[in-house]
Amino acid sequence: MNFDDAIKAHATWKMKLQTYISKPDGSLKANEVEPDNKCALGQWIYGEGSKYSALPEYTALKNEHARFHKAAAGVIKKADSGQNVKEETAIGAASDFGSASTSVVAAIMKMKAKS
């Protein structure tokens, strides 16, 4: 996976979550989403991407990606309990989810610029 594919993988997963919260059907489980090493980007971070581990941006990516998954799990829990979470996941949202998502992409872009 290259850096552009990493960004696409993150965007694809975020879209999956946005689709889910519009109609929570139980297909996403918060306890399965919270670990940051199960999605395609997480597998890259802990696998092939670890060759960039000397870069501070890699550490930032790893931390922000973990924060993103914790926030996503929280969004799923809220959606499953009937709360409206659409604003939390909107582009540019000031929520923890929105902030973490933006930080993930920024870290990937900074890594790309240094490679």
Side-chain angles (χ1 to χ4, degrees):
M1 177 183 297
N2 63 34
F3 293 111
D4 293 333
D5 290 340
I7 291 170
K8 286 179 194 169
H10 177 68
T12 298
W13 199 96
K14 188 175 170 184
M15 294 277 289
K16 181 178 177 179
L17 179 63
Q18 288 173 323
T19 300
Y20 178 82
I21 64 169
S22 67
K23 186 180 177 188
D25 60 2
S27 61
L28 291 179
K29 308 279 188 232
N31 64 331
E32 294 174 2
V33 167
E34 191 166 353
D36 66 332
N37 62 347
K38 293 186 176 184
C39 69
L41 178 56
Q43 291 174 357
W44 179 81
I45 290 169
Y46 289 97
E48 178 187 351
S50 66
K51 66 185 175 188
Y52 300 103
S53 63
L55 296 176
E57 292 81 6
Y58 174 84
T59 302
L61 172 60
K62 195 171 169 184
N63 292 338
E64 292 302 323
H65 185 250
R67 185 167 72 101
F68 170 81
H69 274 272
K70 284 186 191 326
V75 167
I76 291 168
K77 288 176 189 173
K78 288 179 183 177
D80 286 346
S81 70
Q83 295 179 48
N84 183 352
V85 290
K86 289 185 182 188
E87 290 200 16
E88 286 186 49
T89 61
I91 293 174
S95 67
D96 193 39
F97 174 87
S99 169
S101 181
T102 300
S103 295
V104 165
V105 174
I108 294 169
M109 294 300 291
K110 287 177 184 175
M111 286 174 63
K112 180 180 179 181
K114 283 196 168 183
S115 67

